[in-house]
Amino acid sequence: MRASAVFLTTGEEPAGTVWSPDADLPMPPAGCMSPEGSPPLFKSGDGEWSAEFADHQNAERKAAWQSLPPLVAGEPLTAFQRAAILGDSANHLCHWGSAGAGYINADVTLTLSRPPVGYEQGLRAENTIASAGISIGTATLYDRHGPVGTCVVTTLSNARRQIDFAATSSAELAGTSD
């Protein structure tokens, strides 16, 4: 494992207007998540938000909304820690298709233009480029105030162990089934 960080001092924006994509980021209703953690919600294309993985096993663009539980009991996660953990799931969103998820992370790069705010954060798939079993996916990380940064994942095909979400219940994926 290798990690690096670059911290920049904030300042005044330069004059003029620069291109940026439409920031119409999907969000479920406020109050649908607990600060202590909630099951993730997913959205495919223009569909509704749902916690059922099987509902989203399709070729549509994906978004996820999450409130992650503490990793250590009694130690709440900071918004920054939530963003770092959530960045790893960009692979899942960018490479979740009609037959499930079939890539594993080889590298994750998370870039933030501002600190995230709050306990809820979203991730929306933006692009996927794949060739010969290697794929790169990009996603926008955001909170209720708008875009926070981007996640880039470099992945490797795991076709022999592809996760078929249509054949596995949400409870089994969460490890809560009997």
Side-chain angles (χ1 to χ4, degrees), residues 64-147:
W65 192 255
Q66 296 195 19
S67 171
L68 300 167
L71 292 176
V72 176
E75 296 290 329
L77 292 173
T78 67
F80 177 80
Q81 289 169 326
R82 290 173 189 273
I85 295 167
L86 189 57
D88 191 48
S89 64
N91 172 23
H92 175 69
L93 284 181
C94 293
H95 299 104
W96 183 2
S98 60
Y103 285 89
I104 56 174
N105 284 354
D107 185 63
V108 177
T109 301
L110 173 67
T111 60
L112 304 177
S113 66
R114 67 171 174 83
V117 177
Y119 62 90
E120 297 174 293
Q121 293 179 11
L123 198 59
R124 180 179 69 180
E126 299 296 345
N127 198 3
T128 300
I129 302 168
S131 177
I134 297 172
S135 184
I136 299 166
T138 58
T140 298
L141 178 72
Y142 59 104
D143 58 22
R144 291 218 179 256
H145 299 279

Side-chain angles (χ1 to χ4, degrees), residues 5-106:
V6 176
F7 294 96
L8 305 174
T9 302
T10 60
E12 181 180 336
E13 291 289 321
T17 303
V18 177
W19 173 90
S20 65
D22 181 10
D24 186 22
L25 298 166
M27 293 180 210
C32 69
M33 296 270 165
S34 165
E36 288 79 37
S38 296
L41 295 176
F42 301 103
K43 181 175 178 55
S44 294
D46 294 331
E48 297 296 319
W49 289 98
S50 162
E52 289 301 319
F53 286 79
D55 293 348
H56 304 283
Q57 187 153 306
N58 55 52
E60 299 279 340
R61 177 188 201 177
K62 308 283 188 287
W65 192 255
Q66 296 195 19
S67 171
L68 300 167
L71 292 176
V72 176
E75 296 290 329
L77 292 173
T78 67
F80 177 80
Q81 289 169 326
R82 290 173 189 273
I85 295 167
L86 189 57
D88 191 48
S89 64
N91 172 23
H92 175 69
L93 284 181
C94 293
H95 299 104
W96 183 2
S98 60
Y103 285 89
I104 56 174
N105 284 354

